[in-house]
Structure formats: structure tokens, C-alpha cells
Amino acid sequence: MKGRTDWARVDALTDEEIVAAVESDPDAELITDEDWEQAVWVKAKHPVSIRLDADIIAFFKSQGRGYQTRINNALRIFMDKAKAQKKS
């Protein structure tokens, strides 16, 4: 999928211009040391074939690009909760 980014303009930006652009972006969230401390290493993903209900796929796809990652995240939350309950 070809994007509309002007990579020549991006390549020409200085480090200072990039920092200023990020700092002025109200949607930008800089990663803090605390964020890195909470980071979890996730193993490599493996392709699988899985059958899901059509409405589940439609819901995740309706959220935009990255629906497979969102499905993976939902399954991870379920798995983590199930593991926590088993330990209790």
C-alpha cells in the first residue's frame, strides 16, 4: 500500500525540528522510563488459521487497520486474566 508521505521532506528535517514537531503535537505521547519499565517482551508471532464468527471479524475490522493485532491483544488479556485466576 503506497502512502502519501513526502519522504524527501521528512528526510530533510533536523533532529531539532523533529523534537519541536513532536512537542507541539497534542496527540503525541512520549515514552517515559516508567513506560519502558512496564514493557513486556512478546515472543515472535506465528501464523495460524482460525475460524471466527463473522460479526467478531467485522467488529475488529471496523476499528481500522491492525485488526489482527487487536484480536491478539484481546486474546492476551483473556489469557493473562485466566492465568491470574488460576494462581489465586
Side-chain angles (χ1 to χ4, degrees):
M1 181 177 194
K2 185 170 169 44
R4 297 179 294 182
T5 302
D6 181 355
W7 290 110
R9 185 181 68 77
V10 173
D11 288 340
L13 291 172
T14 65
D15 288 347
E16 292 79 17
E17 290 171 325
I18 293 169
V19 169
V22 170
E23 288 175 346
S24 69
D25 183 348
D27 294 325
E29 292 184 35
L30 300 179
I31 298 174
T32 66
D33 289 340
E34 183 178 314
D35 294 326
W36 284 115
E37 290 169 6
Q38 296 175 7
V40 177
W41 182 262
V42 179
K43 297 178 184 177
K45 295 183 179 178
H46 299 274
V48 297
S49 176
I50 184 172
R51 295 182 182 276
L52 302 171
D53 295 338
D55 60 331
I56 292 174
I57 295 171
F59 170 78
F60 281 95
K61 281 187 171 183
S62 74
Q63 306 300 304
R65 292 183 63 177
Y67 76 96
Q68 291 177 334
T69 299
R70 283 189 297 282
I71 292 172
N72 189 79
N73 292 342
L75 291 170
R76 177 166 300 286
I77 290 168
F78 177 85
M79 179 186 74
D80 290 344
K81 285 184 179 182
K83 284 181 176 181
Q85 287 177 349
K86 190 172 185 178
K87 288 181 182 181
S88 299

